[in-house]
Amino acid sequence: MWLGPEEVLVANALWVTERANPFFVLQRRRGHGKGGGLTGLLVGTLDVVLDSSARVAPYRILHQTQDSQVYWTVACGSSRKEITKHWEWLENNLLQTLSIFDNEEDITTFVKGKIHGIIAEENKNLQPQGDEDPGKFKEAELKMRKQFGMPEGEKLVNYYSCSYWKGRVPRQGWLYLTVNHLCFYSFLLGKEVSLVVQWVDVTRLEKNATLLFPESIRVDTRDQELFFSMFLNISETFKLMEQLANLAMRQLLDSEGFLEDKALPRPPRPHRNISALKRDLDARAKNECYRATFRLPGDERLDGHTGCTLWTPFNKLHIPGQMFISSNYICFASKEEDACHLIIPLREVTIVEKADSSSVLPSPLSISTKSKMTFLFANLKDRDFLVQRISDFLQKMPSKPPGNSRAGRKASIVDSAPESSPAPQEVSEQPASPTSPLGGLQGSHAQEAPTASQGLLKLFQRNTPVEDLGAKGAKEKMKEESWNIHFFEFGRGMCMYRTTRTRELVLKGIPESLRGELWLLFSGAWNEMVTHPGYYAELVEKSTGKNSLATEEIERDLHRSMPEHPAFQNELGIAALRRVLTAYAFRNPTIGYCQAMNIVTSVLLLYGSEEEAFWLLVALCERMLPDYYNTRVVGALVDQGIFEELTRDFLPQLSEKMQDLGVISSISLSWFLTLFLSVMPFESAAVIVDCFFYEGIKVILQVALAILDANMDQLLGCSDEGEAMTVLGRYLDNVVNKQSVSPPIPHLHALLTSGDDPPEEVDIFDLLKVSYEKFSSLRAEDIEQMRFKQRLKVIQSLEDTAKRSVVRAIPGDVGFSIEELEDLYMVFKAKQLASQYWGSSHPAAVRRDPSLPYLEQYRIDTNQFRELFASLTPWACGSHTPVLAGRMFRLLDENKDSLINFKEFVTGMSRMYHGDLTEKLKVLYKLHLPPALSPEEAESALEATHYFTENSSSEEALQQEEQEGAGNNIQEKRGDGD
């Protein structure tokens, strides 16, 4: 354990030095271990007699400097393993750092500060969980607010002891991670370091190790590079920093701020001392991983997970893995990747049975479903608690729809099931798998169009039986038979065992008769569809006749979706496509409609009914391709960055050439946004879509790399972007699917040139095989990590573009330089974002609308303007500043919405800074007239005007009377004289 450094004057009395370096010594107590001799025997006897072994650990580490006679204890250990761990940490994290110092006193001060920081962090983590935010944490939060001037609304998530590198000198201190800021404070050797960085300003965040910096975290903004190192747990710190930076990017992307989850369950047992916010973020990360792994709806929350084994009847093995429980699902993932995945919706469960334990099957649990499948789990820890949780969730499952004569379904929970007990009644509330088109889930819309009950391909395919198609028909029949065998062995529907065998079948091509069913299952769209019966029909009804920008764009693109396919050469297919796209735009106005959605949706409609296509589109836009289909196609740009990075890693000789030609940015958007459907013959691209719904974006990246690899020689010889695009276009035009039983659809590609002989045909299945053989090392976890890194880069690049657009929109006569305008914009934007952090007096300023023009996105209210006025303007003048600021705000707020945009703000600033004397006097004069005056000030001014007018009239009348009276007196005196 680490010890608070204490002086040791005689370092070698009763101790033996085992390891040493210029700054530390590892010692063993004499008498402990072998080879102690007579002295060791005496020391050992003394320790035993005096019972001092509890106070004297057998191992310790001392800190020393070359010229000092004083040693300092920094750690002790009861075993060699424990002390070696501390020794290795010191060597890996401190030795290189300490060699930089020139002064030995500085070295000792730094070591003592570092050890005290480690001890404080360990104590923080070992304290029992009491309140939501325990005393130590609250104390740190108060200290953070005071130190960095943060308001009450800024919440501390966690704090860590670490070192900040300023030049080549490390500064030991404390890193505070709040919801909106990264802060660091150090006071060492009389020098203070205080840093505050907003997460929305972070452009790069990565964990790395270099010769200069031991394992460290790098944080970049537009203006500086910061390095932090020597964390006790660097992985935990970096993961938390990633989460907070991601939340900030989400805020910039769609103005979603961080909202604490009030419904988060409290931990059943006390655990280490962490804040409620940290627990919230940890739960969010686990939920996101759980939903992504099993393709579950976006509102599903993980309740808990436990280790167990699953009996797999197809290979007669007990597979070790993890069971995951949530309010609507029981899921299983094997430890060995892709060995077995299982999803059991609780709506399908009929019996949960605790069987008797045995040496072969300890703590077994059997779960039966309506599809007559039984799943056997074993080696479960705390099985009774687990069964109780499942029972609680089953009780909360919704009852059967109204109109059904039977009571609501409730599964049975039994301790054991005798052989003579009757089988439970099968209640078919909802279909277990999408074997029938809709299973009775569509509403009144089902009777209105044929596309409500089946896919367009069934309506427009030729009536030639599969048997009459020769070799292609036989191949299709073999595929169907292979899948039927798979269904028999592994199950059919949501509860299917998903293994490497499932992937192999997908790679061989899904038969057209099963394509719609399997897309629904693998994407997770089936789960959302069966739990939202009638939802699509309601959306269609509500959106019919409603006009918006999205519906106008949809109408323009309807006839450009798949014009070569007969299904979209008539009003039946066009109308179905219109309904699905409009319903989705009505469901998700944030996305509305984006080009490329029409192409993807038209293919979904070929293999599924309207409702199925709608839910597949939901899965695609909201889960599988996040942020792809918005106005700025951020998700596609992020994956484009990943593609560039993967090209550098896997095809380094081609990467530089592709960058010079600028090809990647051109090809990736069209390839990724449409899943190759717009650049490849339909029959071939459909096979890629099969793999995509099973594997996710990984397949798209693999195939893209394989295409570049196949055309490497030609691409290296290209002289410009047009030539490279022609090479790739001709290659993609000739990727064929020779196994397709659908009638060929002509693929008209704009890049296909005539005159040259077309290249050789490439079989789509050969292309997929190569992509898996050469690039299958890609993992979903790695892609998500790369997505985070690229998201920072893409969103900050878009913000820079927005800044340049806003600055260009400012008239040239404002008097500020471009650099000054950019600085003012950053200050203005930061002030508006602060309203989202900590609230605002004006509700309109709280939420930014990213769909507005750049100039209108960021606006500030009166209070925010007052703060900027006081800190930036030359007219700040003591107690009159707030009054002057309020008047200036009202003068600039021309549309009277109590908000001003950046252009209005700069106009006011320019008058104060760059106007000539006459213009400044005019502005000051206007500040004393409506509309600059507040209603109260205007009323007071009006009263004063009336008062002045009335008083002026009274004085004039009095003066006139006095003058008349004086004249009468003179006349009287003259009369008397006469």
Side-chain angles (χ1 to χ4, degrees), residues 313-314 339-341 373 478-493 495-506 511 514 517-518 521-522 694:
F314 50 87
C340 183
H341 271 209
M373 293 183 70
M478 287 175 60
K479 287 182 183 179
E480 291 179 1
E481 189 60 32
S482 297
W483 276 100
N484 287 330
I485 294 171
H486 186 272
F487 292 148
F488 178 77
E489 294 181 355
F490 295 81
R492 186 168 189 169
C495 300
M496 177 198 301
Y497 293 97
R498 305 177 194 205
T499 68
T500 51
R501 173 63 180 156
T502 314
R503 176 197 280 168
E504 290 169 5
L505 283 177
V506 172
L514 295 174
E517 171 188 342
L518 293 175
L521 290 179
F522 295 148
Y694 188 78

Side-chain angles (χ1 to χ4, degrees), residues 417-428:
E419 293 181 5
S420 59
S421 62
Q425 286 188 333
E426 298 298 329
V427 182
S428 182

